[in-house]
Structures are given as C-alpha cells and as structure tokens.
Amino acid sequence: MFNRFMFPVVMVLAGCAASSVRDMPTRAQLSQSPLPPMKSFAATSARAPVRSNANIAADFLALHFELESGRELPAFTRFEQPITLRVTGAPPPNLQNDLSQLLGRLRSEAGINIRQVTDSNANITIEAVSRDEIRRALPQAACFVVPNVSSLADFRHKRRKPETNWALLSERRELGIFIPNDVSPQEVRDCLHEELAQAIGPLNDLYRLPDSVFNDDNVHTVLTGFDMLILRTGYDPALRNGMTRDEVAKALPGILARQNPRGVRVAARPVSKTPRSWINATQTALGPGATQTQRRKAAKEATRIAQQQGWTDHRRAFSHYILGRMVQSGDPETAQQHYRSALYYLSQTPGTDLQAAYVVTQTAAYALANGQPDEARQQIRPQLQVARRAENAALLSTLMLLDAEALDLQGQRDKAADVRLDSLGWARYGFGSDWAVRARMQEVAALNPRQQLGG
C-alpha cells in the first residue's frame, strides 16, 4: 500500500485530558524504573470468513484487476511457486520473529510455497532502512513495495521506467519491499503483513471490506481469514498468469467452492461501490499535508457523502469516527455523538468488532474523565479480547491503561497497579521507545479526575 495513512493505531485522547499530571506513587515508580520486558503475540491462525462466495468473488476481481487509483489492470499476475524471500539492510531485532510467523501462516493458511533464503537472486527482497530514507523515496509512504527492483537504490534508478509500472506486468518475478527499521515493533510487523500480502497478492485496497488488510482504513494490520482466503484463491491451480478479468470470473465459482465450501450456502449481500469523492475526502482528513481546518471540512464532507449514499455499514461508521476525532479537542460532547453513531452503524455490520474497539477507547476515555469508572470498565472489558485476537498491542495496552485508571477510581488500587504494569509490556511492542510508552501512560493517567484535582 503506497499511501498507507499515517493514522495512529490508537486515537489521541487529549480532547478530555488535563494539561498536567501529578503522579500517584505507583505511576511515579513506573515512570522512573526500567520498563518491563516487551511482550509479543504467539503464532496464531485467523478465523475463516463467513460470507457468500458470490461476494468474495466480486471482491477478488476488484482487488486483482484494479489499482488504488481506480485504473484497471488488463491481466491477472502472480508468482510461480516456489517463492523465495530474503532480508537486507539493517533489520530491527523483532523483524525476524514476526517474519517467520508470517511465512509460516502463508504456508499453512494460504497454501503458498514461500521460504526465506540468503541468495541475492531471491524473488522478494525486504530491505530494512530508516523512516527518513523511505520518505525521501516516497514522501507519503510508511512502507511500500515495487516490482522489478531489489533495493532503494535500484528503485531510484528505475522509478519512472516501465518495469516498475504495476499495470505493465505480465507476471511477478522480482519485487522489492521497503520497511522502516526505526519505528515500533508493531509498525514493522504491520508493514510486513501489508506489503508482503500485496507483493504476492492483490494490488488494490477496498474500503468496503470490513475484515481485511486490503483496506486503507488501517484497522486490520495483521492478515485476516478473509485475506488468507483471497491469497489461497489467487494461487489455485485453476488460475494462471495473463488471464483476463472475464476468464478469472468464470473460474472463481469452482475455485471458491473448493477453497471455501461454507460460502456456497451463504446468501449474497448487496454491496455498493465507494465513490472517489468519499475516498478523496477521507484521505484529506487523515493523510499528511492538510491543515486542521481542511481536515475538519474533509471529515464533514465524508460524513455527508456517506449519508447521501445511504450507507449503514462500517464506512458510515468510519466517517463519524473521523469527524469525532476532528472535533474532539474543541467540542468533546459533539465528538461523543459521532462516536455513538459510529458504534450504532458498526453494530449493524457483522465482523466489525475491531473497529468498535477503536471507538470504545474514545467513549471509555470520556466516561473515565467524567468520573464514571463503572461505565468505562463495562465498555472496556469486552474489547480486551478483541484487541488480543487482532494482535494489536498498541490498542490492547491503551485499553488496559484505561482499565487501570477506572480500577483506581473504583478504589481497587492494587489491581490497578497490576493491570498498569501488565499493559506496559504490550505498550513496548505497540509504541516502541520508552519515551513513547511513558507518554501514553501519562496521557491516559491525565484522564483520571483524581489526577486533575491533584488527588
């Protein structure tokens, strides 16, 4: 995903936070002592999607025969197996473990014959470089993938040549993936999942997908069951390089009947396209380069378009969520109305529990800041398992920190201290540097009315 939004994994809570924090003893100790060891998620597998194969076939075609710009692709392309992959540059310590887990999942869940090698002629090269180097190459990218290159230097030399044009590919033989090595472990892992999935699979993103990394909303950052099915379908023997959209469309019912038999019995759901006007407004609201006034205007426009389209799905919810974020610092009560609207539309859309967990960090923070710890904990507790299942350490640690402050307000200070301490190992994976972890802890602590009153 070239234009991966620089949209924080967890939303800013400052709309209802105090400007200064007076640490309680447990927090003071944590702010001065070495942080606990970083935690990470064990190898896992995703749940299979529960949707109609007819819908999945339409998604497959849109993902493989269009670019994010809307340009149509003339032919289906993939690697011929087996696929080899190597790592170059200066990879951070966590990269290898996360990459090994990802390759294992691709082999077991997607049935793709892919392995890591040290040979210079590997099909895929992952080069780990600094964030600044990536931005100098593509200013709006957090990480990216390019065909027919094996290094950033190679990309700079070929970037305007035909061989780096996705639309001109007839098959995939060599690809370069560029990953930052000076960001949080979670962001490194997220880039691995997104860019490797694009390197071997779909080139497009679709906002209509509620449960996929092939969606620029950046909610899902670890390959889902739907994603694995899309990849497995793309490497089915019935498909081959050079097939047209019509040829692939004819083959998909039989392929999906084999790959996803439960989807044969599920009725298709009507799906509306996402207009370019909504995409542009959303990108302006969340992407770099816009002023705060421009962001708010764009968020309002996205919400207006979503209403005009008659959407009742996660896209309508996302519009309200974005607008809530835009107005939160100046009008927290209006922001909460938008968050409640977002939660309502998410409740109408199956498979959006992770989206709801993001919104709950805002609504629970508001309850906490208003001295309602019981309400805050009631909202937080169901989301903890959602964040764990999604392997989102940044979200998980923020929910746990909110829970700790709510426990403190309830008078359960020992339990609050235990939850707070446990959250920091996840925060180290999710946010990376010690200063970022401590800043998140202080930000959440500032929501506690006792802190604001100096108690």
Side-chain angles (χ1 to χ4, degrees), residues 368-414:
L368 177 64
N370 283 279
Q372 300 174 306
D374 294 347
E375 171 65 22
R377 293 204 71 213
Q378 185 176 355
Q379 294 183 43
I380 292 165
R381 286 195 300 271
Q383 312 307 326
L384 294 170
Q385 185 55 35
V386 173
R388 288 181 187 274
R389 190 166 59 243
E391 300 182 38
N392 193 322
L395 177 61
L396 177 60
S397 62
T398 298
L399 288 166
M400 293 175 73
L401 286 169
L402 287 166
D403 195 34
E405 296 303 326
L407 285 164
D408 178 77
L409 272 182
Q410 289 178 333
Q412 302 186 62
R413 295 201 171 188
D414 288 344

Side-chain angles (χ1 to χ4, degrees), residues 151-296:
S151 68
L152 266 183
D154 197 14
F155 168 66
R156 284 190 288 267
H157 177 66
K158 296 179 179 177
R159 63 181 306 168
R160 291 179 177 86
K161 295 184 177 180
E163 55 260 49
T164 60
N165 187 334
W166 288 104
L168 300 179
L169 286 188
S170 58
E171 64 177 304
R172 303 189 200 186
R173 295 181 179 180
E174 180 184 32
L175 285 160
I177 296 175
F178 305 103
I179 302 290
N181 58 13
D182 52 0
V183 297
S184 73
Q186 180 165 313
E187 186 169 351
V188 173
R189 181 209 62 190
D190 295 352
C191 279
L192 285 174
H193 279 248
E194 294 186 33
E195 304 311 328
L196 186 52
Q198 186 176 29
I200 63 178
L203 302 176
N204 194 14
D205 282 331
L206 297 173
Y207 276 105
R208 72 177 187 238
L209 300 177
D211 57 348
S212 175
V213 303
F214 303 120
N215 185 329
D216 256 336
D217 65 9
N218 266 5
V219 171
H220 289 275
T221 53
V222 172
L223 290 171
T224 67
F226 171 84
D227 299 330
M228 289 298 183
L229 175 58
I230 290 294
L231 292 172
R232 192 165 65 246
T233 300
Y235 282 83
D236 189 275
L239 299 183
R240 65 184 184 278
N241 277 303
M243 292 179 75
T244 66
R245 185 181 185 123
D246 287 345
E247 289 172 333
V248 172
K250 290 178 183 178
L252 282 175
I255 295 172
L256 288 170
R258 293 193 301 274
Q259 302 286 6
N260 188 46
R262 64 190 300 182
V264 175
R265 300 184 298 274
V266 179
R269 293 168 58 97
V271 177
S272 63
K273 289 188 175 181
T274 307
R276 178 55 56 178
S277 57
W278 183 89
I279 294 173
N280 291 340
T282 300
Q283 290 177 339
T284 299
L286 294 179
T291 66
Q292 193 61 26
T293 299
Q294 290 170 329
R295 292 178 192 278
R296 281 195 296 270

